[in-house]
């Protein structure tokens, strides 16, 4: 059945694997996935160096974080740590929006990237493969990381001078087949 093969190909191309089992409910996964999408939009706004878009996407990202049903997490210590990380990211987003210079906004983005990475690992989000990417030359050669849905490098810290500078340092892949 050729159409069946085509369906399999489409499933392999899609990083969200809906048919596999998950640690979380569909509601949780949908909400968490929306936050990741908002994070990626923020990263893309930095690549475009569009300050108003950075602020708009930061606001949207904060809103998506607020609706993740963390109360569904059964283990209290994980629930508590996830709540703290979510609140820290939201506070960093408020700080980011308060900055007027793009470089200052990028510093906030760098911090919230580390917190978002910790949150993904803490809740064991298992719906998407997420790439943890790093550029040693970002932030005045101090280095900085970002998350991506693709292994392709698009540097949000040095988009005009070194768009493709960086590497995949880690793959956050908790997806169950």
């Amino acid at each position: 059945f050729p159409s069946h093969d085509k369906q399999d190909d489409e499933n392999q191309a899609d990083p969200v694997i809906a048919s596999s089992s998950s640690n979380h409910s569909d509601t949780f996964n949908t909400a968490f996935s929306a936050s990741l999408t908002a994070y990626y939009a923020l990263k893309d706004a930095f690549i475009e160096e569009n300050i108003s878009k950075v602020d708009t996407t930061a606001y949207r990202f904060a809103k998506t974080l607020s609706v993740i049903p963390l109360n569904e997490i059964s283990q209290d210590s994980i629930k508590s740590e996830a709540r703290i990380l979510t609140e820290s990211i939201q506070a960093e987003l408020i700080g980011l929006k308060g900055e007027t210079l793009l470089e200052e906004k990028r510093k906030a983005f760098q911090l919230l990237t580390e917190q978002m990475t910790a949150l993904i690992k803490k809740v064991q989000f298992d719906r998407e493969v997420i790439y943890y990417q790093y550029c040693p030359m970002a932030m005045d050669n101090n280095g900085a990381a970002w998350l991506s849905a693709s292994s392709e490098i698009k540097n949000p810290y040095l988009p005009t001078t070194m768009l493709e500078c960086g590497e995949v340092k880690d793959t956050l892949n908790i997806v169950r087949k």
Side-chain angles (χ1 to χ4, degrees), residues 11 16-22 127 176-177:
N11 287 345
V16 179
I17 301 167
S19 62
S20 65
S21 65
S22 173
R127 296 285 85 187
R176 288 185 173 78
K177 297 237 163 58

Side-chain angles (χ1 to χ4, degrees), residues 8 11 15 26 48 82 88 92 105 108 124 138 140 164 173 176:
D8 286 346
N11 287 345
D26 288 346
E48 293 172 30
S88 294
E92 203 58 60
K105 291 179 184 290
Q124 296 283 293
D140 296 324
E164 295 175 359
N173 182 3
R176 288 185 173 78

